Amino acid sequence: MSSYPHLLEPLDLGHVVLPNRVIMGSMHTGLEDRLSDLPKLAAYFAERARGGVGLMVTGGYAPNRTGWLTPFGSTLVNRRQARKHRLLTDAVHAEGSRIALQILHAGRYSYHPFSVSASALKAPINPFKPRALSDRGVRKQIEAYVDCAALAREAGYDGVEIMGSEGYFINQFLSERTNKRTDRWGGSPENRRRLAVEIVRRTRERVGDDFLIIYRLSMADLVEGGQTWDDVVALGKEIEAAGASIINTGIGWHEARVPTIVTSVPRAAFTSVTAAFKPHVKIPVVTSNRINLPQVAEEVLARGDADLVSMARPFLADPEWVLKATTDRADEINVCIACNQACLDHVFAKKKASCMVNPRAARETELQLLPTRRTKSIAVVGAGPAGLAAAVTAAERGHHVELFEADAEIGGQFGIAQQIPGKEEFAETIRYYRRRLELTGVKLHLGRRAGVDDLAGFDEIVLATGVVPRVPAIPGIDHPKVLSYVEVVRERQPVGDTVAVIGAGGIGVDVSEFLTTTSPDLAAWKAEWGVGDPTLLRGALAVPRPEPSLRKVYLLQRKAGKIGAGLGKTTGWVHRAALKNKQVEQLRGVNYERIDDEGLHVTFGPKREKPRVLAVDTVVVCAGQEPVRDLADALRATGRSVHLIGGADVAAELDAKRAIEQATRLALAL
Ligand code: NAP
Ligand code: SF4
């Protein structure tokens, strides 16, 4: 008897039977944009197909150039492209899986000057104002969708997903917020729905019955002027009648100010929306957002919230997610921790997506895990993310690996991160590595600070000795009210009611959240961000009611620029909004004059003006880190060569994404 009977139950869709209830949702990797990258994209999907997922959806392809997300972005508009896609669809079918092509017309989210929409209204997240389409123009867009679906069929895809949510083109017609038309494509809810329904109806006519049409339906717009619940239900019924095979859940427009996918969003936070929608249609309904573990997916399905779950990022993190669930090895899953650092943040920076915890994602042809030809003995020092990644990757290739860690636990900086409210899931990565150490037979020495003598006799020495917090040269820095972030977060030393945080990088922001916030349950999280009952509130928007802050916190930096400017594009705004919710006072352009019994004395600007005393009980220092390289220096002095990775290599830009990737690349080369 499986632990996940609902998750692993096949689903009969008439002309096709899906082997389980998991869909790999659409995730743009950047490999879609050039036909020359198709072999890489094929390898990426083939690896996930081998991992047991029954149905996958590609990243978005525009049905024409006006629908481009970015200039020269991915399109499927001609037969030459369709022929090339055979490489991808054949690779997926050879592994026994299925794949649908997502058709995504960006409308006013198109990042170019030729964008079109229902009305000429600029999106708040895009500098380009769209042109309002004429009646003929709307009909041409519908033709483009239908032609694109026909080409997808010709290319060997098993279906298409029509992207009708997240505030893209179709969504822009559905909502009064963006559709001010008075012709047959606007004015009344029926008219606003016409575009979506026509696209599905005409597509079904063209592609025949034995082809999947998934429609991604925005069930909670999470923006002012979004659709009412009656609109959502009526649309669902009409989409079903028009010939859709499956309805997928979309939550929130890209311009919404409610987080929907970052780590701090509780798991399965939005499946109740799908559950409210599901009784209104007969075709299978998919739910999504923040489902990353088989147990969570099983609970959602067992509750009857949906017929299927869709996950996108979890398949970047672990292509074998389904296989591991099927063989009761969930403890081996490399869980997506929803950090967005190597996936969505890359996409928004126009870089190719990968995954922080799995740097091989979307680089399968480049980073191949091949057995070593010559087995070596390798010592790895430091069991933070870099050391762990190096140790298990080298061991997996057949090397004999010993891992030395001075602490009693593995995890390094992730051990600190997991203490931050909303970042508890970083513990999953530590759990994953702990299990992988066991499986790959790495010999782990905990509580052992390796010295030069311990490392004698190894063929290779990898030093991932990490960092120590920087101690800035501020008069009074040794005052008893001063603590480092490690003392506060990991050692839980007592902190007063009024606190100054020195340094507003990623850790200063995290520490400010740690000092002001307790981890909310789902109800408190929804109240904090203003997520209401979609069946009662238009767009599911309620008035935000954040919990009061636990303390008065000042967050300071010397730079004059925006606080948290270095945070990720897709997560930084959430952190900044969370600080605002807790009334954290942010001070920029600060000079730290001294710390004494009165508190922290500061002035502002190059001329050291406006002296101010922050009468705080505690000062927490988050002023970056210094690399720990004593062992490297000592080994080199004895003539040994070493490989330095992670924060011990570059502490100035210490981040786990770089550390894990550097470690993995090194281990693949040893
Ligand atoms: P960081 O991002 O380098 O920030 C350190 C901050 O301390 C800087 O903002 C700097 O700002 C200040 N500072 C530096 N030297 C100082 C000095 N001598 N005196 C006073 N202030 C000084 O380092 P971090 O916050 O420790 O983060 C470490 C790494 O982890 C970063 O790569 C970060 O991106 C990553 N991280 C990311 C997140 C996230 O994305 N949410 C969370 C945690 C960590 P001023 O010079 O302007 O004062
Ligand atoms: Fe998940 Fe982070 Fe990997 Fe993206 S980079 S897939 S959010 S773990």
Side-chain angles (χ1 to χ4, degrees):
M1 175 71 180
S2 156
S3 305
Y4 316 109
H6 295 86
L7 185 67
L8 301 177
E9 190 188 342
L11 178 67
D12 190 348
L13 292 170
H15 71 283
V16 58
V17 178
L18 300 182
N20 51 58
R21 302 303 179 102
V22 186
I23 292 181
M24 176 176 161
S26 177
M27 167 82 213
H28 203 76
T29 63
L31 295 175
E32 299 80 0
D33 298 344
R34 302 277 166 275
L35 281 179
S36 55
D37 282 331
L38 264 173
K40 293 181 189 167
L41 200 58
Y44 162 79
F45 280 118
E47 186 156 321
R48 276 126 193 107
R50 260 194 307 284
V53 61
L55 175 61
M56 304 184 283
V57 183
T58 65
Y61 283 82
N64 57 21
R65 286 189 189 182
T66 48
W68 265 341
L69 203 49
T70 52
F72 308 103
S74 47
T75 54
L76 181 59
V77 292
N78 59 49
R79 303 187 77 171
R80 181 178 154 264
Q81 289 172 322
R83 272 196 305 277
K84 297 261 183 196
H85 276 253
R86 275 276 170 195
L87 178 78
L88 190 160
T89 53
D90 286 349
V92 168
H93 294 150
E95 300 294 349
S97 187
R98 285 161 204 82
I99 187 157
L101 178 116
Q102 189 188 67
I103 309 179
L104 186 155
H105 186 310
R108 72 177 196 157
Y109 284 168
S110 295
Y111 214 78
H112 60 73
F114 311 108
S115 60
V116 297
S117 187
S119 301
L121 293 170
K122 199 180 87 57
I125 54 170
N126 190 346
F128 298 104
K129 186 174 171 180
R131 177 172 60 81
L133 285 163
S134 64
D135 177 75
R136 186 163 164 268
V138 176
R139 284 186 282 123
K140 273 177 70 180
Q141 306 307 309
I142 296 173
E143 286 302 327
Y145 274 90
V146 178
D147 290 345
C148 184
L151 286 169
R153 184 169 185 136
E154 201 173 314
Y157 286 98
D158 302 277
V160 288
E161 178 173 77
I162 294 171
M163 177 43 135
S165 64
E166 322 308 275
Y168 289 117
F169 181 68
I170 294 176
N171 223 175
Q172 292 157 26
F173 271 76
L174 291 167
S175 161
E176 264 183 320
R177 175 184 176 85
T178 39
N179 185 344
K180 308 291 182 193
R181 304 175 73 99
T182 52
D183 62 1
R184 65 195 186 112
W185 308 105
S188 67
E190 295 74 25
N191 283 354
R192 288 197 303 272
R193 289 196 290 274
R194 192 183 309 278
L195 172 89
V197 176
E198 277 296 286
I199 289 171
V200 175
R201 190 182 63 76
R202 297 273 316 281
T203 301
R204 177 55 78 206
E205 268 174 21
R206 178 80 79 87
V207 296
D209 288 338
D210 57 346
F211 190 71
L212 294 173
I213 300 179
I214 308 167
Y215 181 85
R216 182 110 176 250
L217 193 147
S218 184
M219 294 189 196
D221 290 335
L222 296 176
V223 287
E224 303 282 348
Q227 297 166 92
T228 65
W229 189 248
D230 286 348
D231 292 342
V232 169
V233 170
L235 176 65
K237 290 180 173 173
E238 290 180 29
I239 291 292
E240 177 176 35
S245 331
I246 294 174
I247 290 180
N248 193 0
T249 302
I251 300 287
W253 290 31
H254 285 314
E255 68 206 60
R257 300 327 277 166
V258 177
T260 54
I261 57 167
V262 298
T263 317
S264 55
V265 178
R267 281 177 177 143
F270 293 100
T271 63
S272 59
V273 180
T274 316
F277 173 84
K278 189 171 168 282
H280 298 287
V281 293
K282 292 183 197 67
I283 54 177
V285 177
V286 187
T287 197
S288 69
N289 289 56
R290 290 292 286 121
I291 298 167
N292 59 357
L293 291 173
Q295 194 53 46
V296 176
E298 176 65 20
E299 282 162 20
V300 165
L301 294 170
R303 250 194 335 256
D305 288 1
D307 302 292
L308 298 130
V309 294
S310 169
M311 301 180 299
R313 296 171 300 167
F315 284 105
L316 267 81
D318 197 331
E320 295 190 329
W321 194 101
V322 172
L323 190 64
K324 289 174 181 173
T326 312
T327 48
D328 256 330
R329 293 183 292 134
D331 61 341
E332 290 178 34
I333 291 177
N334 194 3
V335 172
C336 162
I337 53 176
C339 67
N340 286 355
Q341 284 184 37
C343 53
L344 289 173
D345 283 347
H346 275 210
V347 173
F348 280 98
K350 301 194 177 44
K351 293 195 283 186
K352 299 228 170 23
S354 185
C355 171
M356 179 170 86
V357 298
N358 174 24
R360 289 191 63 251
R363 299 182 183 126
E364 287 74 14
T365 53
E366 182 194 350
L367 300 181
Q368 295 188 30
L369 194 72
L370 301 173
T372 179
R373 288 212 200 104
R374 196 190 132 218
T375 302
K376 295 180 183 173
S377 62
I378 299 177
V380 180
V381 184
L388 289 166
V392 297
T393 309
E396 211 152 72
R397 294 188 54 225
H399 293 301
H400 295 305
V401 182
E402 294 194 34
L403 175 60
F404 297 84
E405 169 55 51
D407 270 357
E409 290 285 339
I410 64 166
Q413 298 291 313
F414 270 30
I416 298 178
Q418 65 168 333
Q419 310 286 333
I420 306 296
K423 285 198 166 174
E424 294 83 358
E425 292 194 21
F426 279 63
E428 292 290 348
T429 306
I430 302 176
R431 185 265 313 138
Y432 163 74
Y433 278 121
R434 193 176 294 121
R435 184 76 182 114
R436 242 178 118 198
L437 288 174
E438 287 168 12
L439 291 169
T440 53
V442 171
K443 195 167 170 190
L444 177 63
H445 305 277
L446 282 177
R448 174 109 169 257
R449 186 172 294 279
V452 173
D453 294 344
D454 297 305
L455 304 177
F458 285 97
D459 298 325
E460 305 276 0
I461 301 173
V462 179
L463 295 185
T465 39
V467 292
V468 285
R470 177 180 293 131
V471 182
I474 302 170
I477 194 74
D478 49 2
H479 191 280
K481 66 172 63 174
V482 180
L483 297 173
S484 74
Y485 67 87
V486 178
E487 289 168 320
V488 170
V489 179
R490 190 152 70 188
E491 298 171 17
R492 302 278 170 146
Q493 295 205 17
V495 174
D497 290 336
T498 312
V499 184
V501 176
I502 289 183
I507 290 184
V509 169
D510 274 359
V511 167
S512 299
E513 289 186 40
F514 176 83
L515 293 171
T516 52
T517 313
T518 42
S519 277
D521 61 13
L522 182 56
W525 179 85
K526 284 186 173 176
E528 171 127 17
W529 292 97
V531 178
D533 181 344
T535 65
L536 303 175
L537 293 165
R538 187 176 179 147
L541 275 192
V543 177
R545 298 194 195 289
E547 291 280 316
S549 173
L550 299 175
R551 293 183 179 80
K552 167 72 190 165
V553 170
Y554 301 90
L555 176 59
L556 301 95
Q557 71 176 19
R558 299 174 301 182
K559 286 186 286 290
K562 188 165 71 171
I563 293 269
L567 299 176
K569 172 110 177 147
T570 59
T571 52
W573 69 271
V574 184
H575 290 294
R576 281 191 291 275
L579 296 180
K580 207 166 148 200
N581 282 346
K582 300 298 177 194
Q583 292 170 359
V584 170
E585 196 172 328
Q586 304 176 17
L587 301 175
R588 308 180 282 178
V590 170
N591 309 301
Y592 305 109
E593 300 297 346
R594 65 180 185 283
I595 301 161
D596 58 22
D597 292 346
E598 274 185 84
L600 174 61
H601 298 249
V602 294
T603 56
F604 293 86
K607 293 188 183 153
R608 305 184 104 85
E609 294 164 321
K610 300 184 200 150
R612 184 171 168 190
V613 186
L614 306 177
V616 296
D617 310 311
T618 311
V619 175
V620 184
V621 178
C622 305
Q625 293 87 13
E626 302 286 353
V628 177
R629 295 194 192 131
D630 314 2
L631 186 56
D633 296 341
L635 284 162
R636 282 175 179 150
T638 65
R640 298 295 313 263
S641 68
V642 297
H643 305 276
L644 263 186
I645 57 170
D649 176 32
V650 186
E653 234 194 83
L654 163 75
D655 78 61
K657 182 185 75 176
R658 191 188 63 79
I660 295 174
E661 184 184 339
Q662 184 188 29
T664 306
R665 285 181 185 274
L666 171 68
L668 292 178
L670 285 176

